[in-house]
């Protein structure tokens, strides 16, 4: 049975959304590092099963070296996101995480000197304004209970 790209993307979004909700629930009872460890332990078991079934062969030394820093950054990002899930409402954490494409475009502009046309800059400004509305435009009670360390971790 062949699955189209849209169905695979939808399945990936569903799995990650379920994972976010489960982590949000677990963050109330367990420390962030324990939640992150268990998430990566389960992921390792699944990946090991896939590799055992597909038998793709050993990666080259260059592949391992190239992915080492990427893995470290991925773990730091995941732990930060899991911490934010424990500190903020699920919806707010996800809205803040949607800023990542905006940061990628801005970092490309600043660090790589990529050209970014006015439409992209306009979209970044609108997206950032929407995020500010979500973060700052809450009732006094919700704003007083806000965890700014959670906001920083999500960003």
């Amino acid at each position: 049975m062949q699955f189209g790209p849209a169905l695979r993307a939808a399945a990936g979004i569903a799995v990650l959304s379920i994972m976010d909700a489960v982590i949000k629930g677990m963050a109330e009872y367990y420390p962030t590092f324990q939640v992150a460890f268990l998430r990566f332990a389960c992921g390792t078991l699944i990946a090991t099963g896939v590799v055992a079934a597909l038998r793709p062969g050993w990666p080259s030394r260059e592949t391992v070296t190239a992915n080492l820093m990427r893995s470290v950054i991925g773990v730091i990002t995941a732990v930060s996101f899991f911490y934010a899930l424990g500190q903020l409402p699920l919806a707010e954490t996800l809205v803040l995480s949607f800023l990542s494409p905006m940061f990628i475009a801005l970092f490309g502009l600043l660090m790589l000197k990529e050209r970014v046309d006015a439409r992209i800059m306009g979209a970044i400004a609108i997206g950032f304004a929407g995020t500010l509305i979500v973060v700052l435009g809450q009732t006094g009670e919700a704003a007083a209970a806000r965890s700014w360390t959670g906001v920083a971790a999500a960003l």
Side-chain angles (χ1 to χ4, degrees), residues 106-114:
L106 289 175
F107 288 151
L109 173 72
L110 298 173
M111 298 168 127
L112 302 175
K113 309 293 187 229
E114 290 181 346

Side-chain angles (χ1 to χ4, degrees), residues 6 8 26 30 34 37 52-53 66 74 85 99 103-104 107 118-119 140 149:
R8 283 183 279 187
M26 293 293 100
Y30 301 102
Q34 186 174 358
F37 174 80
L85 282 170
L99 284 174
F103 286 133
I104 290 170
F107 288 151
R119 293 177 300 170
T149 57

Side-chain angles (χ1 to χ4, degrees), residues 84-148:
L85 282 170
Q87 299 297 308
L88 301 171
L90 180 61
E92 186 175 341
T93 306
L94 294 176
V95 166
L96 290 171
S97 74
F98 292 153
L99 284 174
S100 62
M102 293 180 233
F103 286 133
I104 290 170
L106 289 175
F107 288 151
L109 173 72
L110 298 173
M111 298 168 127
L112 302 175
K113 309 293 187 229
E114 290 181 346
R115 292 185 347 173
V116 179
D117 75 23
R119 293 177 300 170
I120 293 173
M121 291 306 290
I124 289 171
I126 291 168
F128 190 71
T131 303
L132 284 176
I133 289 169
V134 169
V135 172
L136 300 176
Q138 296 186 3
T139 65
E141 185 177 309
R146 163 160 294 102
S147 166
W148 289 104

Side-chain angles (χ1 to χ4, degrees), residues 19-36 79 81-88 93:
M19 181 187 74
D20 291 346
V22 168
I23 288 171
K24 172 69 178 162
M26 293 293 100
E28 294 181 33
Y29 303 105
Y30 301 102
T32 301
F33 287 109
Q34 186 174 358
V35 172
V79 170
F81 183 70
F82 296 167
Y83 176 78
L85 282 170
Q87 299 297 308
L88 301 171
T93 306

